[in-house]
Amino acid sequence: MSSIDQSSSFTLGDRTVKRLGYGAMQLAGPGVFGPPKDHDAALAVLREAVARGVNHIDTSDFYGPHVTNLLIREALAPYSDNLTIVTKIGARRGADGSWLPAFSPEALTEAMHDNLRNLGLDVLDVVNLRIMFDAHGPAEGSIEAPITVLAELQRQGLVRHIGLSNVTSAQIEEARRIARIVCVQNQYNLAHRGDDALIDELARDGIAYVPFFPLGGFNPLQSSTLSGVAERLGATPMQVALAWLLRRAPNILLIPGTSSVAHLRENLAASELELPSDVLRELDGVAMAA
């Protein structure tokens, strides 16, 4: 049985995690809203991930809302000592499934307690502050106020480590003046490479970079170059895209999501895929052609 036991690791706060993890977002219903289509299948995916060596799971209580955290608790609690669960706050869901900012001290505090309760934890390993000035990508604006709230919740012992999501370089600098930041979660993949310089800067400072939509998200990566490389290597295009990310920088942690055990196994097998130097050069051209 293929596993990721031999895959490389990186430090996330005071935890060492495998660089290939799992993102739970797709376990919720369509549009990340409502219950899963198949409850038992969702539990099976979570259990299979951990059985194959995954020790880093990304989630949020606004997935569903509440759905993915309750599934994680049902499938995996009591949790293994080496399992790191990373969640995020700063958004909420409207009754129509819309994504809305939730930055006030009251909203952030309530979200922290929602995550604790639904995951069944006394303290959260890592909480990312999701910045919602623009739901479609990073947008400038001060994040001093919400980061200060999160730092206070950390002082209260509700969370061990703080991360950021959907942020600019200026916002990262601002946050680091207030609290220690252990990870940054932004959109990044083979074709969407706006954070290239940021990734290298964070690597120098020992800060993890966690690309969301590593496989393109709701619009899966499409590239004749990617498909051609995959065919030559006897792999799927998505496996090649994940393997490229693992080679891109040592501080990149991957959280590809799926609601299928078979697809999960395919994703995890990417840790064993070798990419020759000529293939890497070829793949690097995908972003320029996108």
Side-chain angles (χ1 to χ4, degrees), residues 48-70:
E48 180 76 3
V50 171
R52 288 179 178 260
V54 168
N55 64 355
H56 168 209
I57 293 177
D58 180 85
T59 185
S60 175
D61 211 58
F62 55 71
Y63 294 163
H66 316 304
V67 170
T68 60
N69 281 355
L70 291 171

Side-chain angles (χ1 to χ4, degrees), residues 82-116:
N82 76 338
L83 178 63
T84 298
I85 298 176
V86 179
T87 188
K88 63 189 70 67
I89 61 178
R92 64 181 179 86
R93 306 303 295 278
D96 59 352
S98 56
W99 303 80
L100 305 170
F103 282 166
S104 72
E106 296 78 14
L108 293 172
T109 302
E110 180 181 2
M112 185 76 76
H113 285 285
D114 284 344
N115 278 278
L116 287 165

